[in-house]
Amino acid sequence: MVFYVQSTGKRTEIGLGSFTDVPLSVAREKAAEQRQILKAGLNPLHEKRKLRNEQKLKAAKAMSFADCARAYVEANRSGWSNSKHAQQWSNTLEQYAFPIFGDSPVAEVDTALVSKCLQQIWNSKNETASRLRGRIESVLDWATVHQFREGENPARWRGHLDKLFPKPSKVQKVEHHAALPYVEISSFIMSLHQQVGFAAKCLEFTILTAARTGESIGATWDEIDLAAKVWNVPAIRMKAKKPHRVPLSLQALALLSEMESLRINDYVFSGTKKGLSNMAMLQLLKRMNRNNITPHGFRSTFRDWAAETTSYPNEVVEMALAHVIQNQAEAAYRRGDLFDKRANLMQDWADFAYQNQSKDVDAELRKGSLAERLNGLDNSFFRRGPR
């Protein structure tokens, strides 16, 4: 059922409801209300839209920033590859933003509130503050799209907050991961061989492959191809979200052969039913009284060794580290992954790291075919170290 309105020569229909849902008596009451609006010199259609907007505004005022933040996290949870990402989002907002304007209507969050939130940590924890600003901006954008607020985003950086706060690059102090000098890598490997447990094996594999700790901890057996001497890391587990082939040195293959004999689940370095924790290797270094270095720092050790002692081109080393090519023009023309050259690089790195190991071990590693080496040697050999 509809009510027809004639205004400025144009006829407009206003719905009164379906005849199956709205009784005729109710429809007549609604029509009478529309006539009263017309008699008052108003446009019923405009008044209907005005009422709808008022209802939206009322709903917006009932929707707090904290409500929107939680809704945003839930809406995006399935799209985040790392399950911890959602928790990090929530923790940052709950710790810094919610105490200041979490209970405020999201429509009322303005530049003053956002600035007050960021000022508490902008200079002392700038990296966290930068992430916090971006997360607040995303939540407010989500609220705008859902019509819970209007206007410019008060958390936007360019042309707005950049006029109130110094650039992150001016505040942040670059803190490099504590790294071992490359000249000490061989003696460290010998000390590592005195340690027991899956964390020690995982750290050794991390060093041999120059991988990120998350990549080695999460390594599964379906990623390992012993025959092809390659570790295929899927895109979902890589920082750049691109698949990465890691050439395996003889030393890495021997270590993997030992781990295969101890296999209890799909993880290469399991230790438990779920695999190693992110803190396992860091705790190992503490037990070794090496608080001055970090697992991730061995990537810097590898980088320094390659730059100072070898003639491998920079692009080969950077690809071994799975770094993103910053030059877009170069990236557009780069097609291959330089696998063969990287295989030589990683073997040279492993040889350097094991240079002070037993001569007998080195000879055993190098003789015979891959199948003979992996199948013919017992596990006591793979626990390499001075005999």
Side-chain angles (χ1 to χ4, degrees), residues 29-42:
E29 290 176 3
K30 289 185 176 183
E33 292 173 359
Q34 302 303 322
R35 292 190 185 96
Q36 291 298 320
I37 294 174
L38 282 171
K39 286 180 181 181
L42 302 174

Side-chain angles (χ1 to χ4, degrees), residues 314-316 318-319 323 325 328-338:
N314 180 65
E315 59 267 24
V316 176
E318 288 296 290
M319 192 161 285
H323 282 165
I325 302 173
Q328 294 184 355
E330 180 183 354
Y333 285 99
R334 182 76 59 80
R335 292 292 182 266
D337 64 357
L338 308 177

Side-chain angles (χ1 to χ4, degrees), residues 285-314:
L285 290 173
K286 289 182 179 180
R287 291 196 299 272
M288 295 174 68
N289 295 321
R290 299 307 302 259
N291 294 330
N292 59 323
I293 56 178
T294 66
H296 191 86
F298 285 102
R299 285 167 57 84
S300 295
T301 303
F302 166 77
R303 187 70 183 82
D304 292 343
W305 164 81
E308 297 187 26
T309 70
T310 78
S311 58
Y312 284 99
N314 180 65

Side-chain angles (χ1 to χ4, degrees), residues 218-235:
T220 56
W221 284 109
D222 60 352
E223 298 172 0
I224 304 295
D225 188 337
L226 291 175
K229 307 179 186 178
V230 61
W231 171 27
N232 296 294
V233 189

Side-chain angles (χ1 to χ4, degrees), residues 333-352:
Y333 285 99
R334 182 76 59 80
R335 292 292 182 266
D337 64 357
L338 308 177
F339 184 84
D340 291 340
K341 293 181 179 180
R342 289 192 292 118
N344 293 331
L345 169 66
M346 301 315 293
Q347 186 58 60
D348 287 347
W349 165 240
D351 289 343
F352 179 81

